[in-house]
Amino acid sequence: LAVDGDSFDGVLWATDLMAEARATVASYGAVDIRETSQIQESWGAALLLAEWLDGGDFGETVKRFFGFECTRLISFVTDRQPITVVAIDDDGTVLGLADLKQNGYVFNLFVSPSCRRQRLGSRLLAWCANKAWDRGARELWMHVDLTNAEGLEFYERLGFAKGPQEAFGSDARLGFRLSKSFR
């Protein structure tokens, strides 16, 4: 199945999720889901992530930008590097993003507040599932902060199983491990 340049051959639940999400997003306009490939996409992702995590601090935006660009450049020579996927509108504005590790771990899934409830998060997650499948992962998994009720509800609605509480991230905060098998 190929839709608007997105190929989803491996994971059936991700294919179904993408089809459902595309039907919902159709009224929003053209949004492309893809791995970052241009410097302006890395900058847009850095702006969005810094707005979410750092209140839009310029210094943090620049640090995140260089992190995304280093990751993007290294990914040209190895598939072990995490990749960043973005949701981009016709004007080139980054509306959402997610980072994906080779083992299927998703982090930094974020959609701009003005674009929520339009299935962009579902599309980003479906893209990550298929890329993780292609990279040999057996499941898609992530940690969600204990206080993120909206995030927990989103993943559980998509069929992710809630696992144990674990410390995660550089600040070792507590969160639930959520996962969904590809089989």
Side-chain angles (χ1 to χ4, degrees), residues 68-90:
F68 284 136
E69 272 302 286
C70 287
T71 298
R72 185 176 72 83
L73 294 173
I74 292 170
S75 71
F76 287 126
V77 294
T78 178
D79 64 357
R80 295 190 182 276
Q81 187 68 18
I83 57 174
T84 300
V85 56
V86 289
I88 299 176
D89 70 8
D90 285 338

Side-chain angles (χ1 to χ4, degrees), residues 101-122:
K101 291 186 177 183
Q102 182 182 9
N103 65 357
Y105 186 76
V106 176
F107 58 107
N108 293 335
L109 176 62
F110 182 72
V111 173
S112 175
S114 65
C115 299
R116 292 188 182 157
R117 306 277 181 226
Q118 298 176 40
R119 305 299 306 246
L120 291 179
S122 297

Side-chain angles (χ1 to χ4, degrees), residues 1-145:
L1 174 67
V3 185
D4 283 353
D6 294 333
S7 176
F8 296 96
D9 301 326
V11 183
L12 184 58
W13 62 260
T15 302
D16 293 343
L17 179 63
M18 179 58 79
E20 180 184 331
R22 282 211 182 272
T24 304
V25 173
S27 64
Y28 178 73
V31 175
D32 191 21
I33 308 292
R34 64 175 183 254
E35 184 174 345
T36 54
S37 62
Q38 301 173 18
I39 198 165
Q40 56 268 50
E41 295 168 359
S42 294
W43 180 250
L47 285 171
L48 192 59
L49 197 58
E51 178 184 322
W52 172 41
L53 296 175
D54 309 310
D57 179 84
F58 183 74
E60 291 301 314
T61 300
V62 171
K63 286 180 196 174
R64 293 185 187 288
F65 167 72
F66 283 113
F68 284 136
E69 272 302 286
C70 287
T71 298
R72 185 176 72 83
L73 294 173
I74 292 170
S75 71
F76 287 126
V77 294
T78 178
D79 64 357
R80 295 190 182 276
Q81 187 68 18
I83 57 174
T84 300
V85 56
V86 289
I88 299 176
D89 70 8
D90 285 338
D91 298 327
T93 303
V94 176
L95 307 173
L97 69 122
D99 289 303
L100 174 68
K101 291 186 177 183
Q102 182 182 9
N103 65 357
Y105 186 76
V106 176
F107 58 107
N108 293 335
L109 176 62
F110 182 72
V111 173
S112 175
S114 65
C115 299
R116 292 188 182 157
R117 306 277 181 226
Q118 298 176 40
R119 305 299 306 246
L120 291 179
S122 297
R123 287 183 62 195
L124 286 162
L125 203 56
W127 191 98
C128 287
N130 281 283
K131 187 66 165 185
W133 168 268
D134 290 345
R135 295 173 96 190
R138 295 187 180 132
E139 66 179 349
L140 204 61
W141 63 289
M142 68 284 303
H143 287 98
V144 178
D145 192 288

